[in-house]
Amino acid sequence: GQQLNQSPQSMFIQEGEDVSMNCTSSSIFNTWLWYKQEPGEGPVLLIALYKAGELTSNGRLTAQFGITRKDSFLNISASIPSDVGIYFCAGPPSGSARQLTFGSGTQLTVLP
Amino acid sequence: NAGVTQTPKFQVLKTGQSMTLQCAQDMNHNSMYWYRQDPGMGLRLIYYSASEGTTDKGEVPNGYNVSRLNKREFSLRLESAAPSQTSVYFCASRGQGSYGYTFGSGTRLTVV
């Protein structure tokens, strides 16, 4: 099946720093989603992107839908301890509105 | 506002034993999903049900069966558990016209 490649796999940052992570695919996605998973919980939707070039913010989080439609980026500004978790990109494989393919995740650790 | 409820939260099985993971949603969603999460591999789709009365295989269906009991409930059965099925299992649901999944908090299964 189609794969989403996320990078980096893990990040250790100081509180207050900005964070960038990305997700790439070998094929076009028409929708990009970003989820956050906290320890012991299921993923929670952060941002949904529906149009190439779209830039959407949710508080300190900003995500962009790449113009090639094969990538997406998530930025977190001024990180805080509660940003700790695993961040997943996801999207529906072409021709299938019924399923989501998930990236392997970026594990974020925020150091005080 | 329960959302998606999964039971049990933890389970240890011996190789060859069977068990059923339960999932229920109270959001009147049509679609329901079972994913497994393994370290470094993100979330992989096992089975999904686009609507009541239908089920389809996902990326990793071998060793599993599902039942969409009614619109609310979607169960996952392991007939003969194997150590390779040690994982965290997530159930999710999706409303019509939306790509945003709502996840349960997961079942951590260990097969020894």
Side-chain angles (χ1 to χ4, degrees):
Chain A
Q2 293 173 321
Q3 290 187 323
L4 295 179
N5 300 306
Q6 262 187 270
S7 64
Q9 283 190 326
S10 62
M11 302 181 74
F12 292 82
I13 62 168
Q14 296 290 140
E15 184 175 353
E17 288 184 346
D18 296 343
V19 175
S20 291
M21 60 189 78
N22 65 50
C23 193
T24 60
S25 171
S26 57
S27 55
I28 289 173
F29 275 69
N30 293 316
T31 300
W32 285 95
L33 306 167
W34 284 93
Y35 284 82
K36 178 188 178 186
Q37 182 182 27
E38 297 186 1
E41 298 295 330
V44 174
L45 182 64
L46 298 173
I47 294 177
L49 303 159
Y50 299 105
K51 198 165 59 173
E54 181 180 352
L55 190 70
T56 298
S57 293
N58 178 3
R60 293 176 297 104
L61 276 63
T62 301
Q64 184 164 21
F65 192 141
I67 56 173
T68 66
R69 295 163 67 189
K70 293 183 177 182
D71 55 11
S72 181
F73 307 88
L74 178 69
N75 296 313
I76 305 173
S77 63
S79 59
I80 59 178
S82 62
D83 290 333
V84 165
I86 305 175
Y87 291 80
F88 291 101
C89 61
S94 59
S96 173
R98 298 178 173 182
Q99 304 177 39
L100 285 183
T101 296
F102 283 81
S104 55
T106 294
Q107 173 77 60
L108 178 64
T109 302
V110 180
L111 304 170
Chain B
N1 55 346
V4 177
T5 303
Q6 289 184 238
T7 55
K9 289 191 179 299
F10 301 94
Q11 184 71 51
V12 179
L13 289 178
K14 293 183 179 179
T15 298
Q17 286 186 318
S18 62
M19 81 160 295
T20 300
L21 281 63
Q22 307 287 351
C23 175
Q25 53 93 8
D26 61 3
M27 297 169 288
N28 202 36
H29 285 171
N30 288 324
S31 302
M32 297 186 73
Y33 305 81
W34 277 104
Y35 282 87
R36 61 177 288 174
Q37 183 178 24
D38 302 292
M41 301 190 73
L43 292 149
R44 293 182 293 169
L45 182 64
I46 304 171
Y47 270 93
Y48 68 101
S49 171
S51 61
E52 186 179 355
T54 69
T55 60
D56 287 285
K57 295 179 180 179
E59 181 185 354
V60 288
N62 291 345
Y64 306 95
N65 286 302
V66 290
S67 296
R68 184 74 184 266
L69 304 169
N70 47 55
K71 192 170 186 180
R72 291 187 64 247
E73 299 173 285
F74 188 38
S75 62
L76 179 71
R77 182 160 178 85
L78 287 71
E79 289 291 350
S80 179
S84 61
Q85 294 178 304
T86 293
S87 187
V88 182
Y89 292 85
F90 287 99
C91 177
S93 70
R94 178 178 71 88
Q96 194 165 3
S98 167
Y99 285 110
Y101 288 16
T102 300
F103 283 86
S105 57
T107 295
R108 185 173 294 275
L109 175 67
T110 302
V111 183
V112 297

